[in-house]
Amino acid sequence: MALDWLDLTGKVAFVTGSGHGIGAGIAEALSAAGAKVIVSDINEEVGSATASRLGAPNIPLDVTDREAVDRTLARVASEFGALDVLVNNAGIYRGFGGPIATITDEMWQKLWAVNVEGLFYCCRAAARIMVAGGRGGRIINIASTQSVSPGVGVTYDGSKGAVLQITRSLALELGPKGVNVNAVAPGATWVMDMPAPPLTGVVPPPTGDALADTVASRIARIPLGRWGQPIEVGKACLFLASGMADFITGVYLPVDGGWLVE
Ligand SMILES: NC(=O)c1ccc[n+]([C@@H]2O[C@H](COP(=O)([O-])OP(=O)(O)OC[C@H]3O[C@@H](n4cnc5c(N)ncnc54)[C@H](O)[C@@H]3O)[C@@H](O)[C@H]2O)c1
């Protein structure tokens, strides 16, 4: 019985930015629970590699292209029969950190275009489809511990704060229409093109990237004593996408090894 609640057989899930890193872990977790997962990434090469590994369809998408977002999610609903779960994972952060005086207009606009506007376009397209389809749905937005505990720079911290409030606003609006909207907030998660996650709180050598290095230096603060792994964020998304979370909406679920506990 308990396992039935986690079973996503017959559900169609679309995960943005799922070619690499956390998104690939989310796609893997939802696939393992039986969902038909559509892998999607702006980078066709990584999207196609992850899709083949999972035996899943791959539909490339740049979430900042609003027309492509509408077209792609409509295509998913017609080709696969529904859109039950949307995970807004696509996000950028490397190369966008630093003090406000060093942030250019281009840096600010580029990061917000992906992390906030792209997420908004996908939420809007999915909400239209889920409400019209009459079978409700789940929207899961990948926020960050920086949504509530800033510290890596105004550009990224601000964007992830916005993701949290968009989630809460949509939970209010879409709840009566059968769509649950929640946020998952990863802490430091080991995706930085390194071979394997360290199982201790070891601080990796500086990369020269201000934001990545700030995250790395804060590793010592994690009570569980290690970095997270993409599949661990995937498991939280699976929970929120499943029958385990039927009565949960508008929450912010940290997956951070306790980093937010001070
Ligand atoms: N890794 C961490 O420590 C961490 C911590 C907190 C939150 N997050 C969030 O998790 C999400 C995934 O981060 P990650 O660490 O796996 O990053 P990543 O760079 O490993 O993967 C992000 C993926 O998104 C894709 N992408 C980038 N721009 C896109 C666009 N415009 N349209 C579609 N796809 C696009 C990239 O090609 C890449 O495959 C992001 O929203 C990030 O802010 C990550």
Side-chain angles (χ1 to χ4, degrees):
M1 172 70 121
L3 285 181
D4 291 346
W5 293 329
L6 279 171
D7 186 5
L8 295 185
T9 304
K11 302 288 185 189
V12 177
F14 188 87
V15 185
T16 68
S18 49
H20 185 264
I22 289 175
I26 296 168
E28 183 177 344
L30 299 181
S31 293
K36 166 64 77 183
V37 177
I38 292 93
V39 171
S40 181
D41 205 287
I42 191 175
N43 179 332
E44 296 194 23
E45 200 182 320
V46 296
S48 146
T50 298
S52 338
R53 182 167 64 78
L54 299 177
N58 171 36
I59 305 183
L61 174 67
D62 175 357
V63 297
T64 68
D65 180 342
R66 79 189 87 177
E67 284 169 12
V69 167
D70 288 346
R71 214 173 35 243
T72 302
L73 292 188
R75 175 182 157 195
V76 166
S78 77
E79 214 169 298
F80 300 97
L83 174 63
D84 298 297
V85 180
L86 166 70
V87 185
N88 283 308
N89 164 78
I92 53 176
Y93 49 90
R94 286 176 238 191
F96 293 91
I100 190 167
T102 67
I103 306 295
T104 63
D105 293 354
E106 291 71 27
M107 288 163 76
W108 175 265
Q109 283 156 8
K110 187 165 181 209
L111 183 133
W112 275 66
V114 180
N115 292 12
V116 181
E117 290 173 19
L119 176 136
F120 164 74
Y121 298 146
C122 292
C123 285
R124 181 175 60 185
R128 287 175 178 151
I129 292 166
M130 288 172 177
V131 171
R135 56 192 253 180
R138 303 287 168 93
I139 296 177
I140 300 165
N141 293 326
I142 302 306
S144 167
T145 45
Q146 268 66 54
S147 299
V148 296
S149 177
V152 297
V154 65
T155 313
Y156 184 76
D157 291 343
S159 78
K160 290 298 180 177
V163 167
L164 177 53
Q165 200 65 335
I166 288 168
T167 302
R168 289 158 50 82
S169 177
L170 287 179
L172 272 184
E173 180 190 329
L174 297 176
K177 295 175 175 155
V179 180
N180 304 34
V181 187
N182 291 295
V184 168
T189 308
W190 193 265
V191 298
M192 294 173 190
D193 306 320
M194 294 174 182
L199 294 176
T200 68
V202 64
V203 179
T207 64
D209 178 289
L211 197 155
D213 290 343
T214 308
V215 172
S217 69
R218 296 171 96 189
I219 208 78
R221 174 178 149 179
I222 299 175
L224 291 184
R226 63 171 176 85
W227 289 69
Q229 302 178 49
I231 193 69
E232 293 173 317
V233 180
K235 288 175 186 172
C237 292
L238 164 56
F239 166 71
L240 289 172
S242 77
M244 293 281 195
D246 286 343
F247 200 50
I248 297 177
T249 197
V251 305
Y252 167 83
L253 176 56
V255 181
D256 66 347
W259 189 82
L260 282 174
V261 179
E262 283 194 278

